[in-house]
Amino acid sequence: MAEWVTGKVTRVEHWTDSLFSIVVNAPINDFTAGQYAKLSLEIDGERVTRAYSFVNAPSNPNLEFYLVNVPEGKLSPRIHEMQPGAEIMITKESQGFFVIDEIPECDTLWMLATGTAIGPYLAILQEGKGLERFKNIVLVHAARFSRDLSYLPLMQQLQQRYDGKLHIQTVVSREETPGSLTGRVPALIEDGTLEAAVGLKMDANDSHIMLCGNPQMVRDTQQVLKDTREMRKHLRRKPGHMTSEHYW
């Protein structure tokens, strides 16, 4: 049974009409970068709960979450309306295995995300622990429109911090944007466009692919990597090349 604590919203950032971030202060236990917590509100006499990944590093006490407002959803519209000072319930213990310690040895680590699923990667990169063993890290954020790349400035700051080790690439599916690739991630991998843009190969001998976001993107990308790169899912009992987290 999950133990819940009361958190207080300290900041709300509205990036677009539907994309927003909230920062919460709450007495939760330590978590590992890449994990998620559950947020909850009582709505019409019912406790409504959803899981959200941390955007902040574990060493940062300001608990940050990146959300999309789903108009027909039960919880996100209510959180979308929140103002600083509002209270929200959060699980004291965090969960999830989408963490660096679970990634096998490799030279190049690819971090692929769609939409709000960029969150766990930002937590991992801001914390910076356990990344020394990789020669290259590639962070790819895919969104529908360029305005949806909310955390691009932070991604660019992290790129400078890692001094050549971190490569960032944005992908926009519904418009052409300078500096971004256009299309869907699976197709850009299949035809080699993503690798050409980054200047690194997705090779089964020295690469590992982390996938987080839209379940269709995750499935399609896994299939492309299986068919064209001879990659397989990573399991503790059978090490592989792909680690995934579906985001709903």
Side-chain angles (χ1 to χ4, degrees):
M1 195 73 176
E3 183 179 354
W4 295 86
V5 296
T6 301
K8 180 167 285 189
V9 176
T10 60
R11 183 164 61 86
V12 182
E13 182 81 44
H14 292 279
W15 303 102
T16 67
D17 289 344
S18 59
L19 291 169
F20 67 104
S21 300
I22 63 166
V23 176
V24 179
N25 284 156
I28 67 168
N29 291 341
D30 292 342
F31 69 93
T32 302
Q35 288 190 311
Y36 62 88
K38 292 181 179 179
L39 301 180
S40 178
L41 289 172
E42 187 167 311
I43 301 172
D44 298 327
E46 175 191 2
R47 179 180 288 280
V48 182
T49 301
R50 297 289 183 270
Y52 297 104
S53 293
F54 294 99
V55 175
N56 61 292
S59 55
N60 183 348
N62 297 308
L63 310 177
E64 185 169 355
F65 303 94
Y66 184 34
L67 291 77
V68 59
N69 179 25
V70 181
E72 66 273 19
K74 287 187 176 182
L75 187 61
S76 62
R78 298 295 287 268
I79 300 178
H80 188 249
E81 296 171 354
M82 283 185 155
Q83 300 294 325
E87 292 186 343
I88 189 167
M89 301 301 291
I90 181 171
T91 45
K92 191 168 186 177
E93 292 285 348
S94 302
Q95 297 175 271
F97 298 98
F98 199 69
V99 298
I100 288 300
D101 286 351
E102 296 289 331
I103 304 301
E105 294 301 320
C106 65
D107 288 338
T108 302
L109 177 63
W110 293 77
M111 299 174 161
L112 310 185
T114 56
T116 56
I118 191 70
Y121 298 132
L122 296 176
I124 289 168
L125 290 165
Q126 287 182 97
E127 187 71 355
K129 293 181 179 178
L131 301 178
E132 306 82 8
R133 58 191 172 102
F134 307 112
K135 290 181 181 177
N136 293 289
I137 301 171
V138 183
L139 177 62
V140 178
H141 189 199
R144 293 180 178 183
F145 301 98
S146 59
R147 63 176 177 270
D148 300 332
L149 300 169
S150 311
Y151 284 92
L152 181 56
L154 176 57
M155 291 167 61
Q156 293 169 334
Q157 290 173 23
L158 287 165
Q159 186 177 35
Q160 292 182 343
R161 171 178 152 187
Y162 280 88
D163 195 24
K165 182 174 184 171
L166 175 62
H167 310 260
I168 64 172
Q169 180 62 56
T170 53
V171 177
V172 176
S173 63
R174 299 194 179 182
E175 65 182 4
E176 292 191 7
T177 303
S180 294
L181 297 178
T182 306
R184 293 187 67 240
V185 169
L188 294 170
I189 292 173
E190 188 168 21
D191 66 11
T193 300
L194 179 58
E195 291 159 297
V198 174
L200 292 167
K201 289 289 186 182
M202 287 183 173
D203 191 300
N205 294 319
D206 60 17
S207 299
H208 192 88
I209 320 298
M210 297 179 76
L211 296 157
C212 190
N214 183 305
Q216 192 64 54
M217 181 280 288
V218 172
R219 286 191 294 269
D220 290 349
T221 301
Q222 286 174 332
Q223 192 63 49
V224 167
L225 292 171
K226 179 182 176 182
D227 293 343
T228 66
R229 307 297 197 281
E230 298 184 348
M231 292 184 172
R232 63 177 181 269
K233 292 181 182 180
H234 175 64
L235 303 170
R236 282 182 173 177
R237 65 180 181 275
K238 188 177 181 181
H241 317 94
M242 300 181 287
T243 299
S244 63
E245 180 97 302
H246 290 198
Y247 230 54
W248 58 79

